[in-house]
Short mmCIF file of all heavy atoms in Angstrom, two decimals:
data_model
loop_
_atom_site.label_atom_id
_atom_site.label_comp_id
_atom_site.label_asym_id
_atom_site.label_seq_id
_atom_site.Cartn_x
_atom_site.Cartn_y
_atom_site.Cartn_z
N ILE A 210 0.79 -1.19 -0.02
CA ILE A 210 0.03 0.07 0.01
C ILE A 210 0.92 1.25 -0.02
O ILE A 210 1.77 1.30 0.88
CB ILE A 210 -0.96 0.04 1.24
CG1 ILE A 210 -1.86 -1.24 1.14
CG2 ILE A 210 -1.64 1.37 1.34
CD1 ILE A 210 -2.75 -1.29 2.37
N LYS A 211 0.47 2.14 -0.75
CA LYS A 211 1.37 3.39 -0.99
C LYS A 211 0.81 4.36 0.00
O LYS A 211 -0.42 4.43 0.30
CB LYS A 211 1.26 3.89 -2.42
CG LYS A 211 2.07 3.11 -3.42
CD LYS A 211 1.98 3.85 -4.69
CE LYS A 211 2.83 2.96 -5.75
NZ LYS A 211 3.03 3.57 -6.95
N LYS A 212 1.72 5.27 0.55
CA LYS A 212 1.23 6.41 1.24
C LYS A 212 1.06 7.62 0.40
O LYS A 212 1.28 7.55 -0.73
CB LYS A 212 2.40 6.77 2.27
CG LYS A 212 2.76 5.66 3.27
CD LYS A 212 3.92 6.03 4.18
CE LYS A 212 4.19 4.84 5.02
NZ LYS A 212 5.36 5.11 5.92
N ALA A 213 0.38 8.59 0.91
CA ALA A 213 -0.14 9.79 0.20
C ALA A 213 1.00 10.37 -0.64
O ALA A 213 0.86 10.67 -1.88
CB ALA A 213 -0.79 10.74 1.17
N GLY A 214 2.16 10.49 -0.12
CA GLY A 214 3.31 11.14 -0.72
C GLY A 214 3.97 10.12 -1.89
O GLY A 214 4.68 10.66 -2.71
N GLU A 215 3.57 9.04 -1.88
CA GLU A 215 4.01 7.96 -2.95
C GLU A 215 3.10 7.73 -4.10
O GLU A 215 3.39 7.00 -5.00
CB GLU A 215 4.35 6.62 -2.24
CG GLU A 215 5.30 6.70 -1.20
CD GLU A 215 5.44 5.43 -0.34
OE1 GLU A 215 4.56 4.44 -0.59
OE2 GLU A 215 6.40 5.23 0.38
N THR A 216 1.95 8.48 -4.05
CA THR A 216 0.96 8.37 -5.13
C THR A 216 1.33 9.33 -6.22
O THR A 216 2.14 10.23 -6.04
CB THR A 216 -0.48 8.71 -4.78
OG1 THR A 216 -0.56 9.81 -4.03
CG2 THR A 216 -0.92 7.53 -3.73
N THR A 217 0.73 9.32 -7.48
CA THR A 217 1.03 10.10 -8.47
C THR A 217 0.32 11.55 -8.40
O THR A 217 -0.64 11.61 -7.56
CB THR A 217 0.58 9.56 -9.78
OG1 THR A 217 -0.84 9.39 -9.82
CG2 THR A 217 1.23 8.17 -10.11
N ASP A 218 0.83 12.53 -9.06
CA ASP A 218 0.22 13.72 -9.02
C ASP A 218 -1.20 13.65 -9.49
O ASP A 218 -2.10 14.35 -8.94
CB ASP A 218 0.86 14.83 -9.93
CG ASP A 218 2.31 15.27 -9.20
OD1 ASP A 218 2.40 15.17 -8.11
OD2 ASP A 218 3.15 15.74 -10.03
N ARG A 219 -1.44 12.84 -10.51
CA ARG A 219 -2.74 12.80 -11.06
C ARG A 219 -3.74 12.17 -10.00
O ARG A 219 -4.93 12.62 -9.96
CB ARG A 219 -2.83 11.72 -12.21
CG ARG A 219 -2.26 12.42 -13.49
CD ARG A 219 -2.38 11.37 -14.53
NE ARG A 219 -1.78 11.89 -15.81
CZ ARG A 219 -1.87 11.27 -17.00
NH1 ARG A 219 -2.21 10.16 -17.08
NH2 ARG A 219 -1.26 11.98 -18.13
N PHE A 220 -3.29 11.25 -9.26
CA PHE A 220 -4.12 10.55 -8.25
C PHE A 220 -4.43 11.61 -7.16
O PHE A 220 -5.75 11.83 -6.75
CB PHE A 220 -3.45 9.34 -7.67
CG PHE A 220 -4.40 8.66 -6.63
CD1 PHE A 220 -5.27 7.68 -6.86
CD2 PHE A 220 -4.17 8.98 -5.18
CE1 PHE A 220 -6.03 7.06 -5.96
CE2 PHE A 220 -4.94 8.34 -4.32
CZ PHE A 220 -5.92 7.48 -4.61
N ARG A 221 -3.42 12.20 -6.63
CA ARG A 221 -3.61 13.20 -5.53
C ARG A 221 -4.63 14.48 -6.04
O ARG A 221 -5.46 14.86 -5.26
CB ARG A 221 -2.34 13.66 -4.97
CG ARG A 221 -1.59 12.58 -4.19
CD ARG A 221 -0.39 13.02 -3.45
NE ARG A 221 0.47 14.09 -4.09
CZ ARG A 221 1.37 13.74 -4.95
NH1 ARG A 221 1.64 12.52 -5.22
NH2 ARG A 221 2.18 14.71 -5.55
N PHE A 222 -4.37 14.84 -7.24
CA PHE A 222 -5.09 16.06 -7.73
C PHE A 222 -6.63 15.53 -7.97
O PHE A 222 -7.54 16.26 -7.48
CB PHE A 222 -4.57 16.55 -9.00
CG PHE A 222 -5.22 17.85 -9.33
CD1 PHE A 222 -4.86 19.07 -8.92
CD2 PHE A 222 -6.37 17.82 -10.30
CE1 PHE A 222 -5.42 20.20 -9.26
CE2 PHE A 222 -6.92 19.13 -10.58
CZ PHE A 222 -6.43 20.25 -10.02
N SER A 223 -6.85 14.42 -8.43
CA SER A 223 -8.21 13.84 -8.61
C SER A 223 -8.91 13.64 -7.33
O SER A 223 -10.13 13.83 -7.10
CB SER A 223 -8.26 12.55 -9.51
OG SER A 223 -7.61 11.55 -8.97
N ALA A 224 -8.16 13.27 -6.36
CA ALA A 224 -8.76 13.09 -4.99
C ALA A 224 -9.25 14.45 -4.36
O ALA A 224 -10.28 14.49 -3.70
CB ALA A 224 -7.69 12.39 -3.98
N ALA A 225 -8.39 15.48 -4.72
CA ALA A 225 -8.76 16.84 -4.18
C ALA A 225 -10.05 17.27 -4.94
O ALA A 225 -10.88 17.88 -4.27
CB ALA A 225 -7.63 17.86 -4.41
N VAL A 226 -10.03 17.08 -6.21
CA VAL A 226 -11.29 17.42 -7.03
C VAL A 226 -12.60 16.68 -6.38
O VAL A 226 -13.64 17.27 -6.18
CB VAL A 226 -11.18 17.07 -8.49
CG1 VAL A 226 -12.50 17.30 -9.29
CG2 VAL A 226 -10.03 18.01 -9.12
N ALA A 227 -12.39 15.45 -6.13
CA ALA A 227 -13.52 14.57 -5.61
C ALA A 227 -13.96 15.21 -4.33
O ALA A 227 -15.17 15.18 -3.97
CB ALA A 227 -13.14 13.22 -5.49
N ALA A 228 -12.95 15.53 -3.40
CA ALA A 228 -13.37 16.03 -2.07
C ALA A 228 -14.09 17.38 -2.28
O ALA A 228 -15.04 17.66 -1.62
CB ALA A 228 -12.01 16.31 -1.20
N TRP A 229 -13.59 18.17 -3.25
CA TRP A 229 -14.47 19.49 -3.51
C TRP A 229 -15.76 19.18 -3.93
O TRP A 229 -16.79 19.88 -3.51
CB TRP A 229 -13.59 20.20 -4.64
CG TRP A 229 -14.27 21.66 -4.77
CD1 TRP A 229 -14.80 22.05 -5.88
CD2 TRP A 229 -14.45 22.57 -3.81
NE1 TRP A 229 -15.26 23.35 -5.83
CE2 TRP A 229 -15.07 23.76 -4.47
CE3 TRP A 229 -14.13 22.80 -2.43
CZ2 TRP A 229 -15.39 24.92 -3.86
CZ3 TRP A 229 -14.45 24.05 -1.78
CH2 TRP A 229 -15.11 25.08 -2.53
N GLY A 230 -16.08 18.27 -4.81
CA GLY A 230 -17.34 17.80 -5.16
C GLY A 230 -18.21 17.47 -4.00
O GLY A 230 -19.34 17.86 -3.89
N MET A 231 -17.62 16.59 -3.04
CA MET A 231 -18.36 16.29 -1.89
C MET A 231 -18.68 17.43 -0.94
O MET A 231 -19.71 17.58 -0.41
CB MET A 231 -17.65 15.26 -1.05
CG MET A 231 -17.57 13.78 -1.78
SD MET A 231 -16.84 12.49 -0.78
CE MET A 231 -15.08 12.81 -1.03
N ILE A 232 -17.77 18.41 -0.92
CA ILE A 232 -18.03 19.69 -0.03
C ILE A 232 -19.21 20.22 -0.74
O ILE A 232 -20.15 20.71 -0.08
CB ILE A 232 -16.83 20.44 0.01
CG1 ILE A 232 -15.72 19.85 0.84
CG2 ILE A 232 -17.17 21.83 0.48
CD1 ILE A 232 -14.39 20.41 0.79
N LEU A 233 -19.19 20.56 -2.05
CA LEU A 233 -20.33 21.32 -2.81
C LEU A 233 -21.57 20.64 -2.60
O LEU A 233 -22.59 21.41 -2.48
CB LEU A 233 -19.91 21.42 -4.28
CG LEU A 233 -18.60 22.40 -4.54
CD1 LEU A 233 -18.41 22.45 -6.06
CD2 LEU A 233 -18.92 23.68 -4.05
N ARG A 234 -21.63 19.33 -2.59
CA ARG A 234 -22.89 18.59 -2.60
C ARG A 234 -23.37 18.44 -1.04
O ARG A 234 -24.48 18.00 -0.81
CB ARG A 234 -22.83 17.29 -3.24
CG ARG A 234 -22.57 17.32 -4.66
CD ARG A 234 -22.68 16.10 -5.34
NE ARG A 234 -24.04 15.55 -5.08
CZ ARG A 234 -24.40 14.44 -5.61
NH1 ARG A 234 -23.80 13.75 -6.36
NH2 ARG A 234 -25.71 13.95 -5.31
N GLY A 235 -22.56 18.75 -0.12
CA GLY A 235 -22.89 18.51 1.28
C GLY A 235 -22.96 16.98 1.60
O GLY A 235 -23.73 16.60 2.41
N SER A 236 -22.04 16.23 0.97
CA SER A 236 -22.10 14.79 1.14
C SER A 236 -21.75 14.44 2.58
O SER A 236 -20.89 15.04 3.24
CB SER A 236 -21.04 14.25 0.21
OG SER A 236 -20.90 12.83 0.51
N LYS A 237 -22.35 13.40 3.14
CA LYS A 237 -22.02 12.95 4.48
C LYS A 237 -20.68 12.25 4.48
O LYS A 237 -20.16 12.12 5.63
CB LYS A 237 -23.18 11.98 5.00
CG LYS A 237 -23.30 10.70 4.08
CD LYS A 237 -24.47 9.88 4.67
CE LYS A 237 -24.45 8.50 3.90
NZ LYS A 237 -25.55 7.74 4.27
N TYR A 238 -20.14 11.93 3.35
CA TYR A 238 -18.79 11.32 3.24
C TYR A 238 -17.63 12.26 3.21
O TYR A 238 -16.60 11.84 3.26
CB TYR A 238 -18.82 10.46 2.03
CG TYR A 238 -19.87 9.39 2.07
CD1 TYR A 238 -20.95 9.41 1.18
CD2 TYR A 238 -19.80 8.33 2.97
CE1 TYR A 238 -21.87 8.45 1.29
CE2 TYR A 238 -20.87 7.32 2.94
CZ TYR A 238 -21.88 7.42 2.06
OH TYR A 238 -22.85 6.51 2.11
N ARG A 239 -17.92 13.47 3.23
CA ARG A 239 -16.90 14.50 3.15
C ARG A 239 -16.13 14.69 4.48
O ARG A 239 -15.08 15.19 4.57
CB ARG A 239 -17.28 15.88 2.70
CG ARG A 239 -18.10 16.52 3.66
CD ARG A 239 -18.61 17.87 3.12
NE ARG A 239 -19.57 18.55 4.08
CZ ARG A 239 -19.24 19.56 4.82
NH1 ARG A 239 -18.08 20.08 4.76
NH2 ARG A 239 -20.16 20.05 5.68
N GLY A 240 -16.78 14.18 5.62
CA GLY A 240 -16.26 14.34 6.86
C GLY A 240 -16.14 15.78 7.28
O GLY A 240 -17.13 16.49 7.08
N ASN A 241 -15.02 16.25 7.75
CA ASN A 241 -14.76 17.66 8.06
C ASN A 241 -14.00 18.35 7.00
O ASN A 241 -13.29 19.40 7.37
CB ASN A 241 -14.10 17.74 9.38
CG ASN A 241 -14.84 17.19 10.57
OD1 ASN A 241 -16.02 17.21 10.56
ND2 ASN A 241 -14.25 16.44 11.51
N ALA A 242 -14.00 17.88 5.89
CA ALA A 242 -13.14 18.45 4.73
C ALA A 242 -13.69 19.86 4.50
O ALA A 242 -14.79 20.30 4.56
CB ALA A 242 -13.36 17.70 3.43
N THR A 243 -12.65 20.77 4.31
CA THR A 243 -12.79 22.23 3.91
C THR A 243 -12.20 22.63 2.73
O THR A 243 -11.42 21.72 2.12
CB THR A 243 -12.32 23.09 5.13
OG1 THR A 243 -10.85 22.95 5.02
CG2 THR A 243 -12.79 22.78 6.43
N GLY A 244 -12.37 23.85 2.27
CA GLY A 244 -11.65 24.32 1.04
C GLY A 244 -10.21 24.18 1.27
O GLY A 244 -9.58 23.93 0.16
N GLU A 245 -9.58 24.44 2.35
CA GLU A 245 -8.17 24.47 2.50
C GLU A 245 -7.78 22.96 2.48
O GLU A 245 -6.60 22.74 1.90
CB GLU A 245 -7.81 25.05 3.86
CG GLU A 245 -6.24 25.17 4.05
CD GLU A 245 -5.58 25.98 2.95
OE1 GLU A 245 -6.08 26.95 2.45
OE2 GLU A 245 -4.56 25.51 2.48
N ASP A 246 -8.54 21.99 2.87
CA ASP A 246 -8.18 20.59 2.66
C ASP A 246 -8.16 20.19 1.22
O ASP A 246 -7.58 19.10 0.85
CB ASP A 246 -9.24 19.74 3.43
CG ASP A 246 -9.05 19.96 4.96
OD1 ASP A 246 -8.02 20.16 5.49
OD2 ASP A 246 -10.29 19.90 5.56
N VAL A 247 -8.67 21.08 0.31
CA VAL A 247 -8.64 20.77 -1.01
C VAL A 247 -7.50 21.57 -1.68
O VAL A 247 -6.80 20.97 -2.51
CB VAL A 247 -9.98 21.12 -1.78
CG1 VAL A 247 -9.90 21.10 -3.26
CG2 VAL A 247 -11.17 20.35 -1.23
N VAL A 248 -7.32 22.69 -1.40
CA VAL A 248 -6.31 23.66 -2.01
C VAL A 248 -4.86 23.08 -1.75
O VAL A 248 -4.03 23.16 -2.61
CB VAL A 248 -6.40 25.10 -1.56
CG1 VAL A 248 -5.27 25.84 -1.97
CG2 VAL A 248 -7.76 25.67 -2.05
N SER A 249 -4.67 22.70 -0.62
CA SER A 249 -3.23 22.28 -0.17
C SER A 249 -2.85 21.10 -0.96
O SER A 249 -1.67 21.18 -1.68
CB SER A 249 -3.26 21.98 1.32
OG SER A 249 -1.87 21.64 1.72
N PRO A 250 -3.60 19.91 -0.98
CA PRO A 250 -3.01 18.86 -1.69
C PRO A 250 -3.16 19.14 -3.26
O PRO A 250 -2.31 18.56 -4.07
CB PRO A 250 -3.98 17.65 -1.31
CG PRO A 250 -5.21 18.26 -0.61
CD PRO A 250 -4.79 19.68 -0.15
N ALA A 251 -4.22 19.88 -3.71
CA ALA A 251 -4.28 20.21 -5.15
C ALA A 251 -3.01 20.93 -5.60
O ALA A 251 -2.51 20.65 -6.61
CB ALA A 251 -5.62 20.92 -5.43
N SER A 252 -2.66 21.92 -4.80
CA SER A 252 -1.47 22.71 -5.06
C SER A 252 -0.28 21.87 -5.25
O SER A 252 0.51 22.01 -6.13
CB SER A 252 -1.32 23.93 -4.13
OG SER A 252 -2.34 24.80 -4.18
N GLY A 253 -0.05 20.97 -4.25
CA GLY A 253 1.14 20.07 -4.22
C GLY A 253 1.15 19.12 -5.33
O GLY A 253 2.18 18.54 -5.56
N ALA A 254 0.05 18.75 -5.85
CA ALA A 254 -0.02 17.72 -7.00
C ALA A 254 -0.40 18.42 -8.30
O ALA A 254 -0.84 17.66 -9.24
CB ALA A 254 -1.28 16.79 -6.62
N ARG A 255 -0.15 19.78 -8.43
CA ARG A 255 -0.40 20.40 -9.74
C ARG A 255 0.27 19.81 -10.83
O ARG A 255 -0.19 19.65 -11.89
CB ARG A 255 -0.11 21.93 -9.63
CG ARG A 255 -0.87 22.63 -10.73
CD ARG A 255 -0.93 24.13 -10.19
NE ARG A 255 0.04 24.78 -11.05
CZ ARG A 255 0.22 26.01 -10.91
NH1 ARG A 255 -0.28 26.75 -10.01
NH2 ARG A 255 1.13 26.70 -11.66
N GLY A 256 1.60 19.42 -10.65
CA GLY A 256 2.31 18.74 -11.64
C GLY A 256 2.38 19.45 -12.95
O GLY A 256 2.28 20.74 -12.95
N SER A 257 2.42 18.78 -14.10
CA SER A 257 2.48 19.38 -15.37
C SER A 257 1.00 19.83 -15.67
O SER A 257 -0.02 19.05 -15.53
CB SER A 257 2.83 18.27 -16.46
OG SER A 257 2.71 18.85 -17.67
N ASP A 258 0.94 21.12 -16.05
CA ASP A 258 -0.39 21.77 -16.24
C ASP A 258 -0.28 22.61 -17.57
O ASP A 258 -0.45 23.87 -17.29
CB ASP A 258 -0.79 22.55 -14.98
CG ASP A 258 -2.18 23.11 -15.02
OD1 ASP A 258 -3.06 22.63 -15.71
OD2 ASP A 258 -2.42 24.03 -14.30
N PRO A 259 0.01 22.16 -18.64
CA PRO A 259 0.18 22.98 -19.75
C PRO A 259 -0.97 23.81 -20.20
O PRO A 259 -0.76 24.98 -20.73
CB PRO A 259 0.60 21.97 -20.91
CG PRO A 259 -0.11 20.61 -20.46
CD PRO A 259 -0.02 20.68 -18.97
N ASP A 260 -2.19 23.32 -19.93
CA ASP A 260 -3.32 24.17 -20.33
C ASP A 260 -3.89 25.04 -19.15
O ASP A 260 -4.81 25.80 -19.35
CB ASP A 260 -4.46 23.30 -20.86
CG ASP A 260 -4.09 22.65 -22.12
OD1 ASP A 260 -3.33 23.20 -22.92
OD2 ASP A 260 -4.38 21.37 -22.31
N GLY A 261 -3.31 24.87 -18.04
CA GLY A 261 -3.68 25.75 -16.85
C GLY A 261 -5.01 25.30 -16.29
O GLY A 261 -5.49 26.08 -15.32
N TYR A 262 -5.50 24.17 -16.52
CA TYR A 262 -6.78 23.64 -15.91
C TYR A 262 -6.69 23.45 -14.38
O TYR A 262 -7.57 23.73 -13.57
CB TYR A 262 -7.38 22.39 -16.59
CG TYR A 262 -7.71 22.64 -17.98
CD1 TYR A 262 -7.26 21.80 -18.98
CD2 TYR A 262 -8.47 23.79 -18.44
CE1 TYR A 262 -7.52 22.03 -20.29
CE2 TYR A 262 -8.79 23.92 -19.79
CZ TYR A 262 -8.45 22.99 -20.63
OH TYR A 262 -8.81 23.08 -21.91
N ARG A 263 -5.57 22.88 -13.90
CA ARG A 263 -5.42 22.64 -12.55
C ARG A 263 -5.17 23.91 -11.78
O ARG A 263 -5.79 24.07 -10.69
CB ARG A 263 -4.14 21.59 -12.32
CG ARG A 263 -4.48 20.31 -12.94
CD ARG A 263 -3.21 19.37 -12.71
NE ARG A 263 -3.54 18.06 -13.28
CZ ARG A 263 -2.84 17.00 -12.98
NH1 ARG A 263 -1.81 17.08 -12.07
NH2 ARG A 263 -3.04 15.75 -13.55
N ALA A 264 -4.44 24.77 -12.32
CA ALA A 264 -4.34 26.13 -11.70
C ALA A 264 -5.69 26.81 -11.43
O ALA A 264 -5.98 27.42 -10.54
CB ALA A 264 -3.18 26.91 -12.44
N GLU A 265 -6.49 26.75 -12.53
CA GLU A 265 -7.79 27.34 -12.56
C GLU A 265 -8.71 26.70 -11.51
O GLU A 265 -9.37 27.43 -10.81
CB GLU A 265 -8.33 27.26 -13.99
CG GLU A 265 -9.71 28.01 -13.98
CD GLU A 265 -9.66 29.41 -13.86
OE1 GLU A 265 -8.70 30.08 -13.88
OE2 GLU A 265 -10.84 30.02 -13.47
N PHE A 266 -8.62 25.37 -11.40
CA PHE A 266 -9.33 24.77 -10.37
C PHE A 266 -9.03 25.28 -9.01
O PHE A 266 -9.86 25.56 -8.20
CB PHE A 266 -9.24 23.17 -10.44
CG PHE A 266 -9.80 22.46 -9.19
CD1 PHE A 266 -11.13 22.29 -9.16
CD2 PHE A 266 -8.98 22.01 -8.19
CE1 PHE A 266 -11.70 21.65 -8.06
CE2 PHE A 266 -9.53 21.37 -7.17
CZ PHE A 266 -10.85 21.10 -7.09
N ILE A 267 -7.65 25.35 -8.73
CA ILE A 267 -7.20 25.91 -7.49
C ILE A 267 -7.77 27.24 -7.22
O ILE A 267 -8.16 27.67 -6.08
CB ILE A 267 -5.64 25.77 -7.34
CG1 ILE A 267 -5.29 24.29 -7.48
CG2 ILE A 267 -5.06 26.51 -6.17
CD1 ILE A 267 -3.80 24.01 -7.59
N ARG A 268 -7.72 28.13 -8.22
CA ARG A 268 -8.25 29.55 -8.06
C ARG A 268 -9.64 29.55 -7.75
O ARG A 268 -10.08 30.32 -6.93
CB ARG A 268 -7.84 30.25 -9.40
CG ARG A 268 -6.41 30.86 -9.50
CD ARG A 268 -6.22 31.87 -10.58
NE ARG A 268 -6.43 31.28 -11.84
CZ ARG A 268 -5.51 30.66 -12.63
NH1 ARG A 268 -4.27 30.49 -12.11
NH2 ARG A 268 -5.78 30.14 -13.80
N LEU A 269 -10.43 28.71 -8.40
CA LEU A 269 -11.81 28.66 -8.11
C LEU A 269 -12.19 28.26 -6.77
O LEU A 269 -12.98 28.77 -6.10
CB LEU A 269 -12.47 27.69 -9.16
CG LEU A 269 -12.66 28.17 -10.61
CD1 LEU A 269 -13.02 27.05 -11.53
CD2 LEU A 269 -13.57 29.41 -10.67
N VAL A 270 -11.48 27.24 -6.27
CA VAL A 270 -11.64 26.81 -4.80
C VAL A 270 -11.32 27.82 -3.90
O VAL A 270 -11.99 28.14 -2.97
CB VAL A 270 -10.90 25.40 -4.53
CG1 VAL A 270 -10.95 25.06 -3.06
CG2 VAL A 270 -11.43 24.34 -5.45
N GLN A 271 -10.16 28.61 -4.07
CA GLN A 271 -9.72 29.66 -3.24
C GLN A 271 -10.84 30.79 -3.30
O GLN A 271 -11.16 31.34 -2.26
CB GLN A 271 -8.41 30.15 -3.60
CG GLN A 271 -7.28 29.18 -3.43
CD GLN A 271 -5.96 29.69 -3.92
OE1 GLN A 271 -5.88 30.29 -4.95
NE2 GLN A 271 -4.93 29.27 -3.21
N ALA A 272 -11.39 31.08 -4.40
CA ALA A 272 -12.32 32.15 -4.62
C ALA A 272 -13.70 31.73 -3.84
O ALA A 272 -14.27 32.55 -3.22
CB ALA A 272 -12.62 32.43 -5.92
N ALA A 273 -13.98 30.57 -3.82
CA ALA A 273 -15.22 29.96 -3.06
C ALA A 273 -15.11 29.90 -1.68
O ALA A 273 -16.09 29.94 -0.97
CB ALA A 273 -15.62 28.69 -3.72
N LYS A 274 -13.90 29.84 -1.11
CA LYS A 274 -13.65 29.60 0.33
C LYS A 274 -14.14 30.93 0.93
O LYS A 274 -14.46 31.42 1.74
CB LYS A 274 -12.19 29.47 0.67
CG LYS A 274 -11.62 28.04 0.33
CD LYS A 274 -10.34 27.76 0.98
CE LYS A 274 -9.37 28.85 0.73
NZ LYS A 274 -7.98 28.62 1.31
#
């Protein structure tokens, strides 16, 4: 089993997007997740972002916080 730091940027970024979706929907599975819990891992997993979509997602979450 891999630890969070051993996963790919794609996996970590997609997990942040999924968490944001759960926050927006008010899902009972989001736990205590907040916008900061999304921005921090998404920023760390931005990786290659040639079209700027990942950066834009991060900006949107920050604006919504």
